[in-house]
Amino acid sequence: MVDFLRISRLIASLKKLHVDPATAIIVLVLFPVVRVLLKAARVHVKRWGAYLVEGLLYWLSRLVMHSLAARLTLTRYCAMQLEKENKYVYIPSRFDVKVEIDRVYVTLTLNYQGRRQATFNHRTLFNAGNRIRIVGDPGSGKSSFAKRIFRDACRESVDQPSKGRLPILVELKNLEIPHKVRDEQLGEWLLKDLRRTVEETSLYKVGECFDNYSTTTGLLVILDGLDEVSSARYVRMQRAVNGLSDRLGDLGTNNVLVVTMRTQFHQQVREAFRESLGQVLFIEPFSPTEIFEFLFQWPFDGNSGEMISKIYSELTDRPTLREMCTNPLVLAMYVAERQCGSRAVIPESRTEFYRRVTEELLIKRRMAQLGPEMAPGKLREQRERILGRLAYEHLLDHKQTANSLRWADALRIVKTVMQCDASKAESVFLDMAKETGLVAQERPGETFRFIHLTFCEFLAAFESVEGQEDGWERLRDAHKAFRRVG
């Protein structure tokens, strides 16, 4: 009753003040509600505003940092890379032949074999995707292709640093994964190792430049020679490459990963990369037009037109030789031999071609340099036994990286073949390396390599047939064991 009287008095008072009671009640009720809502809205608007301002500053910072990194670091990094050894390609021959890849490179055709037929080259490669496997036969030009797209990316980034990618070229045979790294961390480790590789240039803030490009216009990571990783290290390397693909995807959509490998090797491991490296491109052999283009671009001494015409006529007249020279390495070796003044080598098969070139390197190069010091047959036999056993044992050892052989094994085999002490053995092997050019030191006193993996494989095959009992069967069994590991 009392409350009713108070309300009645309040209404009467409002009427005296000419205030509508209904309006007053609405104001009294809604005002506190509106006040609370406005207070809450102010809190949220402040939070949203801070988020928006921080976001704008973040993107502005990225743009500014990208521009600074492009002009202060990336252009210098790419200019330095263009002057390194990746500018050359080495051709096995009687003499050391080193030519600039930008001069002799012939555009390789890459074929996509899927639901749609398409072809690509070093200029259009990235139209195929940003996770690519490059597959080809031995000597088909995989490493040259890797160098070419790396150098093209460097030049593009020098010309347009804000739009280009930061390119990195790595030979996987030289990559050692520490045992302490857990399997689930291999991708992250490989990403950090790439960053460490870039930082070795010691350029201004190059690590920060790496980080910036990984989240903006992208990195171009080229991993060359997956097939040259030793079988003992392969499983972890495979996980590292797959993990790296995932990490690059997490960082940005512009990051590109390219991995090269041999066709035979790819048949064994392709399922492991179906998700992480979805696009597979196969290098096609040279066409007759591309063979002529290669000859036209080769740095001949003297009358190049006459030499081009002579070599091309030899290839045209001999279909077997022409078919072999659709392989870029074989063609380059043939041209290098002809340029050196040797008589035309007309082999009936690729094996015969390698046999003749190897013979040139084993004995005739030495005789041309110093004259005959001992019976050529005896000299060739000794060197074939030494290098053949080295190559054969190397292919049987799954722990060794392809074409990276132990120096201690060389001295052991030389001691056995030559019946000499360790000091003499080292002198003999060093002389052999210098005189033949077939092998070269990688890390003095630790490892050496053949001038090309195909020579290692040829000499191993020769040793398995000529020098080992059941040698071919042992090589076959070792290959089967690796396929089970892969």
Side-chain angles (χ1 to χ4, degrees), residues 297-341:
Q297 295 179 181
W298 186 268
F300 288 106
D301 297 327
N303 191 344
S304 61
E306 180 182 348
M307 200 65 179
I308 291 171
S309 177
K310 184 182 297 184
I311 295 176
Y312 195 75
S313 296
E314 292 171 0
L315 300 181
T316 302
D317 295 340
R318 297 172 175 84
T320 300
L321 179 62
R322 184 177 67 246
E323 190 280 329
M324 285 191 296
C325 286
T326 60
N327 180 281
L329 176 63
V330 174
L331 176 61
M333 290 169 57
Y334 183 79
V335 173
E337 286 297 304
R338 298 291 284 113
Q339 184 181 16
C340 291

Side-chain angles (χ1 to χ4, degrees), residues 242-259:
N242 283 333
L244 175 65
S245 177
D246 292 338
R247 287 292 295 120
L248 291 176
D250 293 338
L251 290 170
T253 58
N254 292 323
N255 292 313
V256 176
L257 177 60
V258 178
V259 181

Side-chain angles (χ1 to χ4, degrees), residues 2-202:
V2 176
D3 291 338
F4 177 75
L5 291 173
R6 288 179 178 175
I7 293 174
S8 298
R9 292 172 183 171
L10 177 61
I11 293 173
S13 301
L14 291 172
K15 286 180 178 181
K16 291 179 180 180
L17 296 173
H18 304 287
V19 177
D20 182 35
T23 302
I25 292 173
I26 291 173
V27 170
L28 291 173
V29 173
L30 291 181
F31 181 75
V33 175
V34 172
R35 185 177 180 183
V36 171
L37 290 176
L38 289 174
K39 186 176 181 180
R42 184 173 61 183
V43 172
H44 286 287
V45 168
K46 184 177 180 181
R47 184 183 304 166
W48 297 337
Y51 185 83
L52 178 61
V53 170
E54 289 177 3
L56 291 174
L57 290 175
Y58 168 75
W59 284 105
L60 181 62
S61 175
R62 284 185 60 176
L63 291 174
V64 172
M65 285 297 298
H66 184 69
S67 179
L68 292 174
R71 283 161 177 76
L72 297 179
T73 306
L74 183 69
T75 52
R76 181 75 183 280
Y77 167 82
C78 290
M80 290 175 61
Q81 298 304 312
L82 287 170
E83 296 304 317
K84 290 189 175 182
E85 281 299 297
N86 62 70
K87 70 186 297 183
Y88 297 111
V89 58
Y90 294 85
I91 311 299
S93 70
R94 286 187 300 156
F95 301 100
D96 295 327
V97 177
K98 182 173 73 171
V99 293
E100 291 190 15
I101 192 169
D102 294 336
R103 175 170 180 175
V104 301
Y105 184 83
V106 173
T107 300
L108 292 171
T109 300
L110 283 75
N111 183 36
Y112 173 81
Q113 298 177 351
R115 294 181 180 178
R116 58 182 175 85
Q117 289 294 318
T119 58
F120 302 89
N121 56 44
H122 63 280
R123 300 184 187 91
T124 62
L125 175 67
F126 305 132
N127 293 337
N130 58 9
R131 299 291 185 276
I132 303 172
R133 283 171 273 172
I134 303 297
V135 180
D137 293 334
S140 61
K142 299 180 295 298
S143 294
S144 296
F145 185 85
K147 289 180 180 180
R148 183 57 193 259
I149 60 174
F150 174 74
R151 293 181 62 77
D152 285 351
C154 286
R155 279 188 285 265
E156 180 182 349
S157 294
V158 169
D159 294 338
Q160 296 181 306
S162 296
K163 297 181 180 179
R165 293 185 174 93
L166 191 154
I168 309 163
L169 175 62
V170 176
E171 292 185 358
L172 286 176
K173 67 179 182 181
N174 298 327
L175 192 63
E176 293 286 345
I177 302 177
H179 295 293
K180 64 181 181 180
V181 181
R182 297 196 299 269
D183 287 353
E184 62 272 16
Q185 296 176 335
L186 288 172
E188 183 66 27
W189 174 85
L190 183 49
L191 180 66
K192 291 180 179 178
D193 192 71
L194 294 174
R195 190 180 192 272
R196 179 192 58 78
T197 299
V198 171
E199 287 180 317
E200 289 178 353
T201 58
S202 300

Side-chain angles (χ1 to χ4, degrees), residues 266-460:
H266 180 256
Q267 297 301 319
Q268 302 170 28
V269 304
R270 58 186 178 183
E271 295 299 327
F273 298 100
R274 191 175 297 278
E275 297 297 328
S276 61
L277 291 160
Q279 299 298 332
V280 186
L281 302 180
F282 296 85
I283 297 179
E284 295 291 308
F286 274 170
S287 66
T289 301
E290 290 164 342
I291 290 176
F292 184 82
E293 182 182 352
F294 180 92
L295 295 175
F296 185 77
Q297 295 179 181
W298 186 268
F300 288 106
D301 297 327
N303 191 344
S304 61
E306 180 182 348
M307 200 65 179
I308 291 171
S309 177
K310 184 182 297 184
I311 295 176
Y312 195 75
S313 296
E314 292 171 0
L315 300 181
T316 302
D317 295 340
R318 297 172 175 84
T320 300
L321 179 62
R322 184 177 67 246
E323 190 280 329
M324 285 191 296
C325 286
T326 60
N327 180 281
L329 176 63
V330 174
L331 176 61
M333 290 169 57
Y334 183 79
V335 173
E337 286 297 304
R338 298 291 284 113
Q339 184 181 16
C340 291
S342 64
R343 61 182 176 82
V345 180
I346 313 299
E348 294 299 324
S349 66
R350 192 176 297 183
T351 301
E352 175 68 9
F353 179 80
Y354 276 102
R355 187 191 69 77
R356 294 193 184 189
V357 173
T358 302
E359 180 180 347
E360 290 277 353
L361 295 172
L362 283 175
I363 58 172
K364 294 184 179 180
R365 185 187 190 197
R366 169 65 173 172
M367 293 171 65
Q369 291 171 339
L370 301 177
E373 292 184 344
M374 62 185 302
K378 180 69 172 178
L379 180 64
R380 180 175 62 187
E381 179 185 353
Q382 287 180 351
R383 291 178 170 178
E384 283 178 345
R385 288 175 63 192
I386 292 170
L387 296 178
R389 283 186 59 183
L390 275 169
Y392 179 77
E393 291 183 8
H394 173 66
L395 261 62
L396 288 179
D397 188 351
H398 71 283
K399 295 181 180 180
Q400 292 189 48
T401 299
N403 202 22
S404 182
L405 293 79
R406 290 188 289 257
W407 189 260
D409 291 340
L411 300 188
R412 171 177 56 82
I413 290 174
V414 172
K415 285 170 60 178
T416 301
V417 173
M418 302 296 293
Q419 295 294 306
C420 61
D421 58 22
S423 177
K424 178 66 174 178
E426 183 167 24
S427 175
V428 168
F429 192 71
L430 286 172
D431 287 343
M432 185 188 306
K434 179 176 64 176
E435 293 167 8
T436 67
L438 269 170
V439 295
Q441 291 192 73
E442 284 185 322
R443 294 190 294 271
E446 296 183 25
T447 60
F448 68 97
R449 59 177 175 80
F450 285 87
I451 52 176
H452 197 278
L453 181 58
T454 50
F455 280 93
C456 178
E457 293 169 337
F458 170 79
L459 287 165

